[in-house]
Amino acid sequence: MYSRIAGTGSYLPEKVLTNFDLEKMVDTSDEWIRTRTGIERRHIAAEHETTSDLAYRAAVAAMDSAGVDGSDIDLVLVGTTTPDLVFPNVGCLLQERLGIRNGPAFSLEAACSGFIYGLTVADAMLKSGQARRALVVGAETMSRIVDWTERETCVLFGDGAGAVVLEASDEPGIVYAKLGADGRYRDLLYASSGVSKPKEEGESGLLRMKGNEVFKVAVKTLETMVDEVLESNRLDKGEIDWLIPHQANIRIIQATAKRLQMPMERVVLTVAEHGNTSAASVPLALDVAVRDGRVKRGDLLLLEAFGGGFTWGAVLVRY
Ligand code: COA
């Protein structure tokens, strides 16, 4: 038994914030942002738009492309670090709006790896017969936890959502999934606003990052991870058709592609247009490449992510 991706969808809020707009907000430049990160613009949710609103639009598109409706779905899983509410979770909010009445619905908090974590959990639940067809979403309103006065971080993030419909199948499918985490790095990337922890004096609760240190661990971890993917699946460099990486920084993506000996033409890049949309970035990139015809049925895809926690993960998919 396998699980296979039956449809993809995504949604980006209408408002676009360019590097030139950011030049007017903090001491930065388009040139600095482009050369250090590869980002040119990002989308920002409207004031009334919540994470579940973005997730809903992406989910509808994914369900349309899979040709299913709410009655066909029996598992909802949402990767997000920016949920609408403490509870109900975003999965339940989606369930209600999409007319899904069967099976569990939950969200999963793993920062930028949220979608990869969600896909892995959904795959395991489908394979073990606990569900037949899952809606797996990555959705974020990072703009709500970014400190818009801090140039080191506010230039990096954007809002958006991506989704897939994953269904049980006799054919592959997801052929491999591996997750990892290391909580010792908690202080390199975090947002301290929470529910049960009292706020300390002078704490903003907003996203904080030691970018340089995150960069080094991200590159090293992703390199080790892709080596493991190749070895565990007895794949030669060059056998993967498309790398669909988390879109945090073009330089991190280039390092991973180099390790896989993949030319950049076979790497799906959305970082210039979307920035880092955290858990939404991988399903957004996947949907872009499916819809523009680059990713075709039968292609071997490597989806990977790294994020706060630290958390990381990779999923190998025969699309
Ligand atoms: N505009 C202009 N200058 C900026 C700036 C900005 N937006 N942000 C930082 N700088 C300055 C710094 O103050 C520093 O100045 P100094 O040399 O005078 O002290 C200089 O640019 C270099 O900063 P540094 O942090 O060393 O840059 P960098 O090359 O490491 O790039 C990041 C910074 C954040 C782009 C990079 O570290 C990164 O992408 N890290 C990983 C981020 C990430 O992936 N996070 C999410 C994980 S999912």
Side-chain angles (χ1 to χ4, degrees):
M1 178 71 86
Y2 293 96
S3 71
R4 65 179 278 280
I5 295 174
T8 66
S10 62
Y11 176 72
L12 290 158
E14 213 170 287
K15 182 180 168 187
V16 172
L17 188 72
T18 66
N19 292 351
F20 298 103
D21 295 326
L22 281 162
E23 285 181 355
K24 296 177 200 133
M25 295 162 64
V26 287
D27 181 15
T28 191
S29 67
D30 169 60
E31 207 263 333
W32 191 96
I33 303 171
R34 256 187 309 106
T35 52
R36 300 285 176 129
T37 72
I39 301 167
E40 294 173 21
R41 57 186 68 82
R42 69 287 289 144
H43 292 249
I44 303 292
E47 241 170 77
H48 65 271
E49 259 178 332
T50 63
T51 293
S52 73
D53 292 328
L54 311 189
Y56 172 75
R57 304 281 287 264
V60 167
M63 287 163 66
D64 278 352
S65 85
V68 300
D69 64 26
S71 64
D72 300 312
I73 305 280
D74 58 2
L75 169 64
V76 181
L77 234 162
V78 183
T80 186
T81 22
T82 48
D84 296 32
L85 306 166
V86 174
F87 68 87
N89 72 66
V90 178
C92 291
L93 302 180
L94 271 188
Q95 219 191 13
E96 189 261 330
R97 284 176 74 176
L98 291 164
I100 300 168
R101 301 288 174 258
N102 298 311
F106 56 104
S107 56
L108 217 154
E109 226 182 298
C112 300
S113 312
F115 176 78
I116 297 290
Y117 266 56
L119 198 59
T120 303
V121 172
D123 174 54
M125 289 182 73
L126 260 59
K127 276 183 183 150
S128 66
Q130 293 183 69
R132 293 287 306 162
R133 196 174 282 112
L135 174 67
V136 187
V137 186
E140 302 277 16
T141 44
M142 294 305 284
S143 60
R144 303 277 154 78
I145 59 166
V146 160
D147 183 344
W148 289 103
T149 66
E150 196 193 72
R151 70 176 183 174
E152 285 82 3
T153 48
C154 75
V155 302
L156 303 175
F157 295 93
D159 300 335
V164 301
V165 172
L166 194 71
E167 62 186 18
S169 160
D170 297 332
E171 312 262 311
I174 291 179
V175 286
Y176 172 88
K178 183 80 188 282
L179 302 177
D182 192 337
R184 286 173 300 177
Y185 293 105
R186 52 177 281 179
D187 294 334
L188 295 189
L189 177 54
Y190 63 91
S192 60
S193 51
V195 181
S196 71
K197 183 177 168 290
K199 215 173 188 177
E200 278 165 30
E201 185 88 10
E203 227 178 49
S204 69
L206 298 170
L207 187 148
R208 295 284 175 245
M209 177 170 70
K210 297 197 175 92
N212 214 301
E213 290 171 59
V214 174
F215 188 94
K216 286 182 215 152
V217 186
V219 168
K220 213 163 157 270
T221 306
L222 289 167
E223 284 181 350
T224 307
M225 189 169 70
V226 297
D227 287 350
E228 266 176 34
V229 171
L230 295 177
E231 204 180 304
S232 303
N233 293 279
R234 294 193 181 86
L235 285 172
D236 288 330
K237 290 179 175 165
E239 281 190 77
I240 293 166
D241 295 306
W242 292 99
L243 174 63
I244 307 187
H246 173 49
Q247 313 278 326
N249 185 314
I250 186 78
R251 292 184 292 144
I252 298 176
I253 297 172
Q254 283 162 342
T256 310
K258 193 169 166 209
R259 187 72 163 208
L260 286 163
Q261 287 177 12
M262 285 185 79
M264 288 307 283
E265 299 79 61
R266 280 164 54 206
V267 180
V268 178
L269 293 175
T270 53
V271 65
E273 309 295 317
H274 302 171
N276 181 349
T277 57
S278 184
S281 98
V282 172
L284 257 164
L286 172 64
D287 187 50
V288 166
V290 166
R291 283 176 196 267
D292 69 20
R294 271 178 292 172
V295 166
K296 297 190 175 55
R297 286 285 169 201
D299 284 353
L300 190 61
L301 319 179
L302 178 58
L303 280 47
E304 51 86 343
F306 178 90
F310 288 145
T311 58
W312 59 88
V315 176
L316 194 62
V317 186
R318 181 66 66 187
Y319 183 69

